[in-house]
Amino acid sequence: MGQMVEWIPGDAPPDENYWAALLSQGENARTAPAVIQMDAWGGANVDVPDESASEPVGAEHAWRVAREAMDEGEVLQLPVVGCNRGGVLVAWNGLRGFVPASHLVDLLPSVDEGERYRELRRLVGSRIRLKIIELDSEQGRFVLSERASRLDESRRQDLLDSLCPGDICHGQVTNLCSFGAFIDLGGLEGLAHVSELSWGRVEHPSDVLDPGQSVEVYVLNVDRERNRVGLSIKRLQPDPWQSVEERYRVGQVIEGTITHVVNFGAFARVEDGLEGLIHISELAEGNFLHPRNVVQEGDVVNARVLNIDSERRRMGLSLRQVEDLDWTA
């Protein structure tokens, strides 16, 4: 067991000697801190570091990441790796942080210092949700608070309880991945699936959104048990299929851009969110091996509207009938 550190009330800031002793000789501290890798949802995965490694993460990088987490108000879920009578030690990216006893939520006040210390020791090995409240790399200060994280959690829960499907909110894009975009609604993240970003075809969310971008979103669903919120951006824009028959008519010749070529024909974008199918039999006269022998993605073509079905969201187009008209003319 390490050297006993003089007890200081949790509300009092530790002096330099206390801080140095706390970081190097905190009672019940493990010989090496765990290394925490944060995931996109703010969770934590704990790995036990190699005892022979002098520093799991470069110190300069670790302090920079900690500063970013503090500036962004990020809530971290970290393991308690040690304690003394003033509070507990936690580990993150090779750094040791200190949580004063007064900033622990479930620690009951007691005049019995022995019982207080036993309660702190029971926390070793557990994980708690924390926010960084003080950071000074030159002085080696890394102070966190469970109470501060609970305030954020309370606001987050209030927001989750107040949201209803159909609500319109403002948010900020925090992360883009292949299946959609995570959007911060003010302490609560929601997910806009890639299919809900635009009425048009979206290959990847980064095609239409940027990290940090402010957006207006429509709340599709709220799952309070799983703390999940489904969002949509496209629902705030008019669905082009609802008025397609007002803007186009059968027999009309329109311009489109080939978006996909498949073995049974080609799809042409008429406008954002509105695509028509040119069946292989309507591409051209004569025989050809594959639709790619006639058109390629990106080609701009003139096509005749053969049919419109707004309910099934389908439009039939023809290149052959435009060419036939040009030839007879």
Side-chain angles (χ1 to χ4, degrees):
M1 181 178 294
Q3 177 182 350
M4 184 70 71
V5 180
E6 179 184 0
W7 180 81
I8 295 179
D11 290 324
D15 61 24
E16 297 304 323
N17 292 332
Y18 172 77
W19 188 262
L22 180 69
L23 294 181
S24 62
Q25 301 177 22
E27 290 188 348
N28 301 304
R30 298 172 185 170
T31 56
V35 178
I36 312 302
Q37 299 295 335
M38 304 305 296
D39 63 27
W41 285 93
N45 301 315
V46 183
D47 297 317
V48 177
D50 182 356
E51 297 290 343
S52 63
S54 60
E55 200 169 57
V57 179
E60 183 177 347
H61 173 73
W63 283 107
R64 183 169 61 253
V65 172
R67 173 61 62 183
E68 292 174 355
M70 180 177 177
D71 292 344
E72 295 174 5
E74 187 174 353
V75 176
L76 310 173
Q77 187 171 342
L78 306 182
V80 178
V81 296
C83 73
N84 64 23
R85 298 182 186 276
V88 298
L89 294 173
V90 295
W92 186 42
N93 283 344
L95 301 177
R96 290 283 184 90
F98 177 59
V99 185
S102 62
H103 283 268
L104 294 168
V105 173
D106 296 326
L107 187 66
L108 298 176
S110 173
V111 294
D112 184 346
E113 294 183 9
E115 179 61 26
R116 177 192 181 96
Y117 182 49
R118 283 191 289 274
E119 288 296 319
L120 289 171
R121 291 186 62 179
R122 289 192 188 102
L123 291 174
V124 177
S126 66
R127 295 197 300 172
I128 53 180
R129 293 171 62 83
L130 303 163
K131 282 189 69 175
I132 303 171
I133 58 174
E134 184 181 350
L135 198 65
D136 188 333
S137 59
E138 293 184 359
Q139 299 295 328
R141 291 184 185 274
F142 183 21
V143 189
L144 306 97
S145 170
E146 185 182 21
R147 290 191 182 279
S149 74
R150 289 292 179 91
L151 290 175
D152 276 4
E153 187 65 28
S154 177
R155 287 193 291 267
R156 178 179 180 277
Q157 189 61 48
D158 288 345
L159 180 57
L160 181 64
D161 291 341
S162 67
L163 284 178
C164 295
D167 287 350
I168 298 174
C169 306
H170 291 280
Q172 186 176 53
V173 178
T174 57
N175 190 32
L176 300 174
C177 52
S178 60
F179 55 84
F182 289 97
I183 299 170
D184 181 12
L185 303 178
L188 174 67
E189 275 195 339
L191 173 65
H193 190 267
V194 63
S195 64
E196 291 294 333
L197 297 181
S198 171
W199 290 111
R201 193 188 300 268
V202 177
E203 298 292 342
H204 191 276
S206 59
D207 295 336
V208 294
L209 293 173
D210 295 313
Q213 180 179 342
S214 295
V215 293
E216 195 171 45
V217 293
Y218 177 91
V219 179
L220 287 176
N221 53 71
V222 180
D223 186 340
R224 293 183 174 85
E225 291 185 0
R226 301 175 62 197
N227 296 324
R228 295 289 188 262
V229 178
L231 304 173
S232 174
I233 292 177
K234 77 178 186 181
R235 304 299 175 101
L236 296 177
Q237 305 295 327
D239 181 355
W241 284 101
Q242 291 183 347
S243 59
V244 62
E245 293 174 348
E246 299 174 7
R247 290 173 289 118
Y248 301 98
R249 66 182 187 278
V250 173
Q252 181 181 359
V253 176
I254 59 177
E255 185 177 88
T257 302
I258 302 298
T259 57
H260 286 77
V261 180
V262 291
N263 58 6
F264 56 85
F267 289 92
R269 182 178 65 249
V270 177
E271 60 181 67
D272 286 341
L274 194 66
E275 287 191 349
L277 172 64
I278 309 168
H279 190 265
I280 188 171
S281 63
E282 294 294 336
L283 280 173
E285 296 288 353
N287 298 321
F288 45 88
L289 295 177
H290 192 276
R292 291 189 185 278
N293 296 124
V294 182
V295 292
Q296 300 287 330
E297 284 87 350
D299 288 352
V300 177
V301 297
N302 289 322
R304 181 174 295 279
V305 178
L306 298 181
N307 53 73
I308 301 173
D309 188 339
S310 58
E311 290 187 2
R312 300 175 67 192
R313 307 172 75 86
R314 294 182 181 179
M315 175 185 286
L317 302 174
S318 172
L319 297 187
R320 180 176 59 82
Q321 294 191 31
V322 174
E323 294 175 356
D324 287 348
L325 181 63
D326 291 341
W327 178 261
T328 57

